[in-house]
Amino acid sequence: MRNVRLKVARVEADLSQEQLAQKVGVSRQTIGMIESGKFNPSINLCIALCKALGKTLNDLFWEDV
Amino acid sequence: MKRFFKKQIDERQEKELLQIGNTAFFLTWAALLVSLCVQGILHAGIAQILPEFLILMASCVYFVAACIRKGQWDYFTQPSRKVYLAYSAVAALICSGVTALMYDWSAPGKTSTRLLALCIVAVIVFVLCMAAMALAGWAVKKRRRKLEERFDEEK
């Protein structure tokens, strides 16, 4: 399932996939695959993404039913 | 030196590399097994078969030991008598099948004697597999209990 919230948060923070990838220490492909729902990150990487974007885990990764 | 060997990949790349390594290992393992079976059918000499056999056995010993150490069994089953029985039966069938292919059925000799020999091969393989799997299953279960105790919060 695509993670639109991560993409929106990244664009709001005015960061490219490459810049976000550098901030959290992963490759650009990894960010792309998380956003497109092709890769499930570990909780450590989720937290790193949240910190880099100033969001909470709920903001980026919780599914509203 | 430490800097040179610093990990340059992230968790996704590591996972993908592990999957590639896993597939490569099983392809090599299966190819070795098939190669040994074909050489057996073609009546290759012991000196020709031995190196490949030792490599295959070394990989099997490492794999089984590592699985027991981590408390792992396999992807699709859990250690139980039914599973040991099923796997041992499959191993016995495959081994007796390969042995049957190794025979020269057109050579003089009684067919009934050969069939009896095949049955003996199947029984021996079945018993040995059952024993090996029961032992490995017991070791895996014991290891799992130990690992559960190690990470038990209440202790």
Side-chain angles (χ1 to χ4, degrees):
Chain A
M1 192 183 288
R2 291 174 70 85
N3 192 333
V4 181
R5 271 172 286 186
L6 177 63
K7 190 172 183 177
V8 169
R10 176 175 61 74
V11 172
E12 279 175 358
D14 200 21
L15 290 171
S16 65
Q17 284 188 341
E18 183 72 50
Q19 288 166 328
L20 180 59
Q22 277 182 359
K23 269 191 155 190
V24 296
V26 297
S27 66
R28 184 190 164 185
Q29 192 188 345
T30 300
I31 299 296
M33 286 178 78
I34 295 169
E35 286 182 357
S36 59
K38 303 272 186 221
F39 173 64
N40 288 322
S42 68
I43 191 71
N44 287 337
L45 181 51
C46 289
I47 291 168
L49 286 166
C50 289
K51 282 181 178 172
L53 295 170
K55 300 280 183 183
T56 66
L57 284 168
N58 275 2
D59 292 337
L60 295 186
F61 297 103
W62 191 254
E63 281 296 322
D64 293 323
V65 182
Chain B
M1 201 69 170
K2 206 173 178 182
R3 197 177 166 189
F4 180 75
F5 285 110
K6 196 182 164 198
K7 206 194 285 181
Q8 300 289 327
I9 53 174
D10 62 37
E11 61 182 47
R12 178 192 59 81
Q13 291 166 319
E14 188 174 359
K15 192 181 167 204
E16 285 179 357
L17 273 176
L18 284 171
Q19 283 169 344
I20 292 166
N22 181 52
T23 308
F25 169 78
F26 277 107
L27 282 177
T28 311
W29 190 88
L32 261 177
L33 188 63
V34 170
S35 160
L36 279 171
C37 290
V38 170
Q39 287 180 76
I41 292 165
L42 296 175
H43 303 286
I46 290 288
Q48 196 179 334
I49 290 178
L50 195 64
E52 285 174 43
F53 178 75
L54 289 177
I55 292 168
L56 187 75
M57 285 301 109
S59 71
C60 289
V61 167
Y62 172 79
F63 191 78
V64 170
C67 282
I68 289 173
R69 196 169 151 260
K70 298 285 181 187
Q72 297 288 348
W73 182 248
D74 80 5
Y75 281 99
F76 309 106
T77 60
Q78 290 297 329
S80 71
R81 275 186 202 147
K82 275 184 190 170
V83 170
Y84 308 154
L85 274 171
Y87 282 173
S88 302
V90 170
L93 271 175
I94 291 171
C95 283
S96 52
V98 170
T99 311
L101 288 173
M102 286 164 73
Y103 282 154
D104 182 5
W105 292 90
S106 60
K110 279 187 180 173
T111 306
S112 58
T113 313
R114 286 173 179 156
L115 288 175
L116 181 68
L118 283 181
C119 288
I120 292 169
V121 167
V123 169
I124 289 172
V125 170
F126 181 82
V127 170
L128 287 177
C129 279
M130 266 304 275
M133 263 189 255
L135 188 67
W138 169 80
V140 165
K141 284 178 182 173
K142 191 181 169 192
R143 184 69 184 156
R144 279 180 184 172
R145 279 195 295 273
K146 203 170 181 182
L147 289 170
E148 280 166 7
E149 279 170 23
R150 188 189 291 176
F151 297 109
D152 191 348
E153 261 183 29
E154 289 165 9
K155 282 197 174 178

